Structures are given as C-alpha cells and as structure tokens.
Amino acid sequence: MQQKIEKTVTQNGHGAQSRLAPAYAEVAIPLHVMQTFTYRLPLSTRSEARIGSRLLVEFGRKKVTGYIVAMMDEPDSAVEISDAEIKDAEELLDAEPLVTPDVLEITRWVADYYAAPWGEVLKAALPAGLNATVEQVLSITTEGRDELARLPHARTVTAKALTLKILADAGETSLRFIAKHVGEARARAVARELEKVGWIRIAHRARTVTAKPKRRKAVRLLPPEMHAEADAARSLTAAQRRTVEALMSEGGEAAFASLVDKADVSASTIQSLEKRRIVETFVRDVRRDPLANVSLPEKDDLRLTEAQSEALKKIETKIEVGDYAPFLLHGVTGSGKTEIYIRAMSATLQRGRSAMMLVPEIALTPVFSRRLRAHFGDQVAIFHSSLTTGERFDEWSRLKRGEARVVIGTRSAVFAPVSDLGLIVVDEEHETSYRQHESPYYNGRDTAIVRAKKESAVVVLGSATPSLETFHNARTGKYNYLHLPNRIANRAMARAEIIDMRSVFAEKGKSIVFSDRLLKAIEETNERGEQSIILLNRRGYSSFVLCRSCGESIHCPNCDVTLTFHRSERSLICHYCNFRRPTPQKCPNCDGVYIYFVGEGTEQIEEILKKHFPSLRIARLDRDTTARRKLFERTILEFGAGELDMLVGTQMLAKGHDFHNVTLVGVVSVDAGLALPDFRSAERTFQLITQVAGRAGRGSLAGRVLVQTFHPNHYALRHACAQDFFGFYQEEIRHRKTMSYPPFVALASLMIHGDELGRVQQTASRLRESLDDANKDRACRILGPAPAPLARLRGEHRYQILIKSRNRPQLREVIDMGFADAASKGCDTRVVNIEIDPISLM
C-alpha cells in the first residue's frame, strides 16, 4: 500500500525499441489502483513524449487517459515479464506536458502519504476541463451499408436501423451522439449487437477537452514602411479614416467586432485597408478574466502596529534567506493578519519569486481577490470551482506560462503550476474545508506545508483559532510562532454573552427560536443604524418531518438520515446524496394527516426575522443561496456597502469577512454541533463561535455577541465567549492526551463500504484479522470494525476501523502489510477508503 510507485507491467503487444529516445513510459492511471503501469511508446511519439504529458492507453478492456510519471529505455528489471507482453500506448495527447515537475513531485508525495492513487491525485491537480475522457466512436462497415439497404421502409424506425442510418450519413460518430437519439442504455446494447454481427466497428479516442483558449478575430495597424508608397499616397475614404483613428485610440490593435462598432464601418472597409497593407487581421487569444468589469478597492496605506511590524519582519527575514520556514500567525479576529499577508507577498515578488494564498471557502475569494488585484494587478490568478471552465483554463494557463505570479484559491489551488514559489499563505488554517472528503483524500493545508518545504519557500498559517495540531506544533518548536494579541487601533473585542435557553423554556413554557433578549438586541442595533449577523449552522426550513399519529419520521432511502424540509423548493432533501421528494400531505407510513415539521433551518430563521422586523433589509447566505457565484458576491458586497441590514446564514458567515458596521452577532444554536460523535466536536464549536464573534465590532463601534444554548456550562462555549483560546487549548489538549487522539497519536480511518451489508461485514472482519497479524510485533491500537456513525450513505453500508499509533511509520506498516495480506486472501480492498489524519470520524 505505501506508494513506492510499484512498476506493474501490462500484458500483450509488440514493438521495436528506439535508441534515440526512451521507449517505455511509466503511467499513473486515474482509477482506484495504487501502482503505476509500464507501456511501450509508439515510435512516432517517442521523441515528443515527456514526463507530465497525458497518454491514451488500454487498461483492461477500456481505453483510459493516463499520466506519464517516468520514462526509461528498458522495462524495470525487477518486474519479471517479457518485453513482448508489454502493451503499446495508443496515443500521446500532449506535445507540451500539462504537469510541471514541481506539481508532479507534490502529487507524488500526496499519493504516498495519504495512500491515494497517484493517477487520481494528478487528475485532481488539473483543471476539470483539461482532463480528457475516452469515448467510443462508431463507424459503419460495408456489410452494415448492405444491411441498411435491405431494411424495409417503416413508420416506426428501430434503434438498430436508426443507428445504421446515422452512421451511413455521418461516416462515423460517437456513442454519445447515438445515445441522444435512442437513449444511453439502448445505445450501448445496440452498439454491441451491431458490432457482433459485423455491421459496425467500434474504436476509442480521447474526447475533446472542454477547456480551450478563447480566440477572437482582431485587427492591428501595420508599420508605415509596409505600405506601398503609391498606395499610401492615395487618400483614405471617410470610413477608412475612422477605422484608422479608432485603431490608434486603442493603441493600434482592437477586436474586429468592437472596431466595426466603434468606427461605425462595415467589414468591407477593414478588408479594403487590409488589401492596401495598412492593417492586418489575425486571431488572438481572449482572456476570460473572473474579475473583469468589477470595481477594485483602493490600496490602503495602513500603518502597522508594533506586533504586526515585528511579525512581518520575521517573515521577511526568512523570505530573504530563500529557505523553507513555517510560521503560525496567531492573531485575534481583526488584528490585521491580511495586511501582513499582502506585504509578505510584495516582499516575495520583489525578490523575483511567486506567491500563493489559500482560503478555505469560495465565499472568501471575492473580497480577497479584489484586494490582491488592487495591489498586484494582472499578476493575480484566481482558482476555485465556481469559475467557468474557460476562466479556470485561462487562469491556469497564465500561471503555467509565468504571466501570473500570485495565485489565490481554495484547496485545489495548492496544485497550481506556480514557478519559483517563494511564499504560501494558508488563511484560516484550522478550517475543515481544506480536507478533501472524497478520493483522493488529502489536506490542502498540510500539502501546502510540504510543497513549501520541497520548494524552499516560506509558509504562513494564519488563524485566530489555530487547530490543536498546528498550535501544538508551534508550542513544541516545529513552527515559528507569531502572536497578534490585540485588534487594530486597540479596538475592544466583542462582548460575548450566553443566553441559557433552559431558563427561557421554563419562563415561556414552550420551545422558542429567538429569546426576547436576542430580539431586543436586534431591534436596538437597527435603531442605531448598525448591522447584525444571525448564525445557525443548519440550512433548510425544518430539520425533519414527523408524523404525530405514528411517530415515524421520513428518512432518505439511500442514507441513515432524515430528510430536511426546504420550503423554497417545496421538497424534502437529503443533504448527503441530494435525494429529493415532494413534501407529503399525509404520512407515507400510516396515512395520517398530522404532519409536523420539527427544528429550524436558515430558511425558517429568515422568515421569522422578516415577520418580526418587516422594515429590515435581510438576506440569507448558505449553500442553497450561493450556488450562483454572482448572486453570492453581490450579497456580500451589498452588505459591506450598507445596502443590507442583516445577514442570516451558516458557518460561511464566520470566516474572514470584514464588515465595519456589524455590531451584533446572534448565534441561534450550536448544540447540535456539540452533540456530534466526533473527537473534534468541541474544537469545531469553539472555533465557530470565536470566528463569528470576530465579525462584530471590527470598526469604531463596540460589538456584542449573544449565544443561545441549552448547554451554558460547556467548556467550549465558556472559553469561546471569554475569547480565551489558551484556556480552551489547555482543557482540550488534556482530553486528547487522556483519550489518545491527535496530536499525540497518528490516526487512520478505514471505511469499508458496499451495497450488500453481509459482504461489507465480511470484508471488514477479514481486514481486521489481517491488520491484527501485521500488528503482532508493533504497538498500534486497532478499534473496530463497527458501523460508522452514518452507517448508510449514498446507498452503501459502511463499517469503520480506526488505527492509532504513537509511531507514524508503524501505523503505515500495519496498514500496508494488512492490506497486502487481506488482498492475497481474496479480500476486495478496492471497497476500502483509507483516510490518513482524518478531520472527521463521521
């Protein structure tokens, strides 16, 4: 399992060996396989093939796109297989490698450390539009044309006849195109039948990538010496003069369409000028800029505080040395961490190196990217999943060509093709969204630290609430510790208060969403012309639907969770697999008509507040409302400009936003987060409250935070309201040490999943036996198998095994040896997901 990039050789094929260039390529396949595979390169591609290029290869019965990770003159002698048994590669897809050496190296580390397939990591490292897929191409044979001629004309055309007719007209076409006419499943079946009788041929080819440069026709003025003297002497028509003047006003070059509009001329006018060699038309790349036509903030000329200056000086000293140095920048909310990031980036660029900034959420990129663009202009590239395919391709291309030297983005931006990286900033380093929650599993923060080490760069981890592992590393001297204990201009931290909802329930005699104290605070805040934020980390309208007749709640058929009621869509939705069903009028279990909606979500919170305060301008921000990038950005900017009075939303409101007129933050409830069966639940709750409290009082006005809870004495809430990180750390780290959890042990989670419960249980039991055998001479602690906290998810049953060890190499040895032994005994290890250093055990 530990990825030493085992060189497994595929079967069959022939080929001569070239002495001029490497004849064999080691290929990583983007499938759930842990080893790489050796292929013979066709003679025609050997001189062009490069490490980092994509290669179309046969894998089993399929054609797949792989990535060249090594090239050699001879197959690995350690693999006992003859040259005649090695398969030939089908097609080289890139003349210029897409994967740079630095990115190839960091993906190799991710694959090795996280026990992830290298091919899947490489696929994740490239923009989605660049990952070519392989498609089936159908063509008709002579026999097929003869059969089509014999078919009788009929009103109803069969799928076979229609397929043959399409192919006869087109010559060849893709299976996708046939599926549009006869359906996907029917198209596959028909293709197999027609190929079997010899009426069509099926081939494979790399499907055209969706990301390409955007090109547009343009016009430019030619130098005067290129005009023929006699021709130049001839006077220009009025339309031609307008065209030349318009071009001169644009710097001598303009898009064809815009020039026609601006000069108010026809295309023939430009063609006449082209014949006279006064202008020429050409095709140029047009950049799809994510920040096109947006207003940028003014560059602030801020004076640093003493603590900021001291922190920046230490970072700049390491940047000048040009060697690896990790920093934890621990600053309270509003202490000016962003200004340090920008100045450190500026120092890096002045030394001729590049910089990278990672943010945990797409929600933070609009503000940060605008601010960086204001400072660094077009040197800034943006990376996140809400960009269009074209925008992502253009930004990635600018980085790869070296045109952009600063990149800002979410988790996957850690793989950006930045050359000569000198600084990496990881903002809000504690956030769980830096962890990829599907294969390949990796942590963007930890990958950034390793990439900085490999490229001799400085890495700055910033947070007001560092993760316990990061703070522990700083306490033990692994990271340099920088502390910003005060807000800018010594502004006071927001005053936090706990509202005991047990007392509210006793007073009202029923459960209510908002206490009188919180409602009064909202009213007073609005009367002063100030803004407020209301947080509930649960989207939807109601948590679940209950039948009062039989007591049954409506569950997702694919997952072990109840469906959440979304009033705006009039549907019950699963937040894990996105299963949807209409809201029932009666109970599906007993036909009872007494349907009860239980619990609150952000939709209901917004509705209640609008009824209480009809004059307030209220907007909601959660995953439901942020699906459209422009809408989300507009809401954030409108709130920042004071055009909204209140924001209601989930945890995305707690991260990094700087709203100077916000003086009240209300937390409706965090009790559900505290109750999760996860060893990090207290830490996450503390971080959430501390971060959202930091949104209040960032301007000249004092801030206030009200937290409603049924657990007012919990240590996480107590320390969060006191803004006491060190007190929380001391209490939480003691629990971690007692219970043997990170940072005192290395932790791995093995999740066995599948459609059949019995087979999942059997696989889990066999794997546990193999792990026990591997652990006989080692000191790892193995727990399970047991049903996962979410025992069924997306239609699959799930069992979990946890492995703890104070010795990380031993942990990997037990996993590697256990998996190898289980596989040798017929256990299907492909149904096991390995998570090294999991951030959640759910």
Side-chain angles (χ1 to χ4, degrees):
M1 287 291 307
Q2 183 147 3
Q3 198 144 343
K4 302 181 180 73
I5 311 307
E6 177 187 341
K7 296 179 178 178
T8 302
V9 182
T10 57
Q11 307 292 313
N12 300 329
H14 306 281
Q17 180 176 325
S18 170
R19 295 181 181 178
L20 300 176
Y24 299 90
E26 203 65 27
V27 179
I29 305 294
L31 298 172
H32 200 67
V33 289
M34 302 306 295
Q35 66 269 30
T36 58
F37 300 84
T38 301
Y39 286 87
R40 182 185 299 100
L41 291 167
L43 279 169
S44 60
T45 64
R46 290 180 188 179
S47 61
E48 297 177 1
R50 298 286 185 274
I51 293 174
S53 295
R54 296 170 304 159
L55 197 65
L56 185 64
V57 297
E58 185 178 347
F59 188 74
R61 295 182 178 180
K62 299 190 299 183
K63 299 288 197 307
V64 299
T65 302
Y67 305 91
I68 301 177
V69 296
M71 298 178 69
M72 52 273 188
D73 294 324
E74 297 285 348
D76 190 346
S77 58
V79 181
E80 297 180 358
I81 197 164
S82 68
D83 181 72
E85 294 175 307
I86 299 176
K87 281 184 177 180
D88 288 326
E90 297 281 332
E91 182 184 351
L92 181 67
L93 300 180
D94 307 307
E96 176 75 17
L98 294 183
V99 183
T100 64
D102 291 333
V103 174
L104 187 71
E105 182 59 30
I106 193 62
T107 57
R108 183 200 297 266
W109 177 85
V110 169
D112 186 37
Y113 183 85
Y114 291 105
W118 196 1
E120 287 192 349
V121 181
L122 283 164
K123 183 177 180 180
L126 293 172
L130 285 180
N131 286 304
T133 56
V134 178
E135 64 181 358
Q136 290 182 313
V137 180
L138 315 183
S139 58
I140 192 168
T141 63
T142 303
E143 291 80 2
R145 290 185 183 276
D146 292 342
E147 177 60 24
L148 180 62
R150 286 194 294 268
L151 289 176
H153 293 284
R155 287 185 178 180
T156 304
V157 181
T158 65
K160 290 182 182 179
L162 181 58
T163 300
L164 289 173
K165 187 176 186 312
I166 291 172
L167 292 176
D169 293 339
E172 70 171 25
T173 191
S174 67
L175 186 63
R176 285 184 301 115
F177 184 80
I178 300 296
K180 291 179 181 178
H181 295 272
V182 302
E184 188 173 342
R186 187 67 182 132
R188 287 197 297 267
V190 166
R192 286 194 300 267
E193 293 172 20
L194 294 178
E195 184 190 34
K196 190 173 182 180
V197 296
W199 294 344
I200 68 168
R201 281 187 293 268
I202 301 179
H204 295 79
R205 71 180 177 199
R207 183 176 169 186
T208 306
V209 294
T210 56
K212 294 179 180 179
K214 182 179 180 180
R215 294 187 168 93
R216 289 291 183 267
K217 191 176 181 181
V219 185
R220 61 182 163 217
L221 284 170
L222 290 173
E225 59 269 20
M226 296 189 67
H227 310 163
E229 290 185 14
D231 195 41
R234 283 161 43 197
S235 61
L236 299 177
T237 66
Q240 290 173 340
R241 281 198 301 273
R242 290 199 305 272
T243 304
V244 172
E245 289 167 1
L247 277 173
M248 292 176 67
S249 69
E250 294 289 334
E253 185 177 302
F256 192 98
S258 65
L259 179 62
V260 167
D261 290 338
K262 185 172 184 178
D264 190 22
V265 297
S266 64
S268 61
T269 302
I270 299 174
Q271 291 166 0
S272 297
L273 288 171
E274 189 172 21
K275 288 178 182 178
R276 296 177 61 177
R277 302 292 292 154
I278 296 174
V279 304
E280 71 172 353
T281 59
F282 65 102
V283 176
R284 68 179 179 183
D285 288 354
V286 179
R287 179 185 167 198
R288 290 156 288 200
D289 184 2
L291 293 181
N293 304 317
V294 301
S295 58
L296 300 178
E298 293 184 7
K299 292 172 63 175
D300 298 320
D301 187 19
L302 301 175
R303 183 176 178 180
L304 299 184
T305 65
E306 185 177 339
Q308 282 178 304
S309 297
E310 185 178 343
L312 179 62
K313 184 178 179 181
K314 290 180 179 179
I315 295 171
E316 287 181 335
T317 299
K318 293 297 184 180
I319 290 173
E320 289 174 10
V321 172
D323 204 357
Y324 167 69
F327 288 93
L328 168 59
L329 181 59
H330 180 195
V332 298
T333 54
S335 58
K337 295 185 290 294
T338 305
E339 188 64 26
I340 294 177
Y341 299 158
I342 291 173
R343 297 195 185 201
M345 287 180 181
S346 181
T348 304
L349 295 182
Q350 287 172 14
R351 290 187 57 82
R353 305 191 73 183
S354 302
M356 172 186 293
M357 182 175 184
L358 301 183
V359 293
E361 293 270 5
I362 296 172
L364 294 178
T365 52
V367 175
F368 273 127
S369 57
R370 283 171 168 80
R371 194 165 174 185
L372 292 183
R373 177 66 67 83
H375 279 270
F376 305 118
D378 279 344
Q379 292 188 91
V380 178
I382 304 170
F383 259 45
H384 61 74
S385 58
S386 282
L387 300 183
T388 65
T389 300
E391 287 173 338
R392 271 181 286 181
F393 175 80
D394 287 356
E395 296 296 89
W396 179 87
S397 299
R398 290 200 311 124
L399 282 166
K400 193 169 184 292
R401 292 192 300 264
E403 295 173 8
R405 296 171 56 210
V406 177
V407 59
I408 177 173
T410 48
R411 177 180 60 234
S412 61
V414 74
F415 298 118
V418 185
S419 58
D420 196 12
L421 193 57
L423 173 70
I424 302 179
V425 173
V426 184
D427 189 42
E428 308 293 359
E429 64 82 28
H430 64 278
E431 282 293 340
T432 59
S433 51
Y434 281 120
R435 179 76 188 204
Q436 173 100 341
H437 293 290
E438 57 187 21
S439 185
Y441 300 95
Y442 69 92
N443 189 307
R445 176 200 63 197
D446 296 345
T447 304
I449 294 168
V450 174
R451 183 168 183 183
K453 188 172 184 178
K454 287 180 177 292
E455 300 192 37
S456 299
V458 171
V459 59
V460 179
L461 310 177
S463 178
T465 54
S467 69
L468 260 70
E469 290 88 340
T470 298
F471 191 73
H472 182 75
N473 284 336
R475 291 285 289 263
T476 56
K478 189 174 180 180
Y479 298 160
N480 300 296
Y481 182 67
L482 306 173
H483 191 209
L484 304 178
N486 301 309
R487 282 183 161 181
I488 297 295
N490 287 319
R491 294 173 186 140
M493 301 295 290
R495 177 169 51 92
E497 308 163 31
I498 290 179
I499 299 176
D500 187 348
M501 295 303 285
R502 298 174 304 180
S503 301
V504 173
F505 180 82
E507 177 188 340
K508 300 290 185 181
K510 62 178 181 178
S511 179
I512 59 174
V513 178
F514 288 101
S515 62
D516 293 340
R517 196 162 146 199
L518 180 53
L519 291 173
K520 185 179 180 182
I522 294 172
E523 185 176 358
E524 292 172 348
T525 300
N526 182 52
E527 288 173 353
R528 294 193 300 268
E530 297 160 8
Q531 294 171 298
S532 53
I533 290 175
I534 304 298
L535 173 83
L536 177 63
N537 205 20
R538 186 167 56 241
R539 60 192 177 99
Y541 190 90
S542 295
S543 305
F544 63 96
V545 177
L546 180 73
C547 174
R548 285 181 168 178
S549 298
C550 68
E552 282 291 317
S553 54
I554 301 178
H555 283 73
C556 173
N558 307 315
C559 310
D560 273 351
V561 294
T562 55
L563 296 175
T564 302
F565 173 51
H566 285 248
R567 189 167 185 173
S568 60
E569 299 187 36
R570 299 180 181 179
S571 300
L572 301 180
I573 302 175
C574 175
H575 287 174
Y576 289 91
C577 72
N578 205 35
F579 171 82
R580 296 163 184 255
R581 61 164 293 174
T583 306
Q585 300 300 315
K586 58 183 180 179
C587 175
N589 183 59
C590 72
D591 289 334
V593 295
Y594 300 105
I595 301 296
Y596 184 51
F597 297 89
V598 183
E600 303 82 30
T602 49
E603 270 190 74
Q604 188 174 161
I605 296 300
E606 179 187 25
E607 181 182 275
I608 293 171
L609 288 169
K610 284 183 174 179
K611 287 180 179 177
H612 268 282
F613 307 103
S615 63
L616 257 63
R617 297 166 297 176
I618 301 174
R620 174 166 54 93
L621 282 183
D622 52 31
R623 195 180 300 174
D624 297 326
T625 62
T626 58
R628 287 161 48 202
R629 179 178 116 214
K630 299 295 183 184
L631 175 62
F632 168 75
E633 292 180 5
R634 187 171 69 245
T635 303
I636 288 290
L637 294 173
E638 285 176 353
F639 189 68
E643 296 170 16
L644 295 170
D645 301 311
M646 178 187 291
L647 278 185
V648 176
T650 55
Q651 46 84 27
M652 64 174 59
L653 292 178
K655 302 174 184 177
H657 300 295
D658 191 13
F659 304 122
H660 282 219
N661 196 39
V662 172
T663 58
L664 174 67
V665 170
V667 181
V668 177
S669 176
V670 290
D671 296 343
L674 282 174
L676 291 175
D678 192 290
F679 73 95
R680 298 186 197 271
S681 59
E683 179 185 11
R684 281 200 283 264
T685 302
F686 170 84
Q687 290 167 341
L688 180 62
I689 294 178
T690 304
Q691 289 286 338
V692 76
R695 301 316 109 202
R698 294 174 76 94
S700 57
L701 304 170
R704 186 183 183 192
V705 183
L706 298 178
V707 181
Q708 298 184 159
T709 179
F710 283 92
H711 304 284
N713 299 318
H714 195 286
Y715 69 96
L717 302 184
R718 190 174 68 249
H719 289 299
C721 289
Q723 302 280 309
D724 181 13
F725 175 84
F726 300 100
F728 172 77
Y729 172 80
Q730 293 295 342
E731 196 158 348
E732 180 68 12
I733 205 76
R734 188 169 62 249
H735 295 316
R736 298 279 184 93
K737 190 171 185 178
T738 301
M739 302 304 294
S740 293
Y741 277 113
F744 298 101
V745 298
L747 180 65
S749 168
L750 310 182
M751 189 70 73
I752 303 94
H753 56 93
D755 299 336
E756 298 179 21
L757 178 59
R759 185 172 293 179
V760 169
Q761 292 171 327
Q762 184 182 56
T763 301
S765 298
R766 288 181 178 176
L767 182 58
R768 172 61 196 259
E769 291 171 4
S770 295
L771 292 169
D772 285 338
D773 290 341
N775 193 39
K776 284 179 180 176
D777 300 324
R778 294 167 181 81
C780 295
R781 187 181 178 192
I782 305 175
L783 306 173
L790 286 171
R792 193 160 175 267
L793 197 64
R794 299 181 184 92
E796 291 189 321
H797 300 278
R798 310 194 315 153
Y799 265 65
Q800 190 175 45
I801 297 175
L802 296 180
I803 309 177
K804 300 179 181 180
S805 178
R806 297 187 183 276
N807 185 312
R808 185 176 290 276
Q810 282 194 3
L811 176 82
R812 286 304 302 270
E813 287 172 7
V814 168
I815 293 175
D816 295 342
M817 294 174 63
F819 267 70
D821 181 68
S824 69
K825 295 177 179 177
C827 184
D828 185 4
T829 57
R830 294 173 300 176
V831 300
V832 184
N833 292 338
I834 305 173
E835 278 201 72
I836 306 297
D837 304 333
I839 52 98
S840 172
L841 299 182
M842 295 294 289

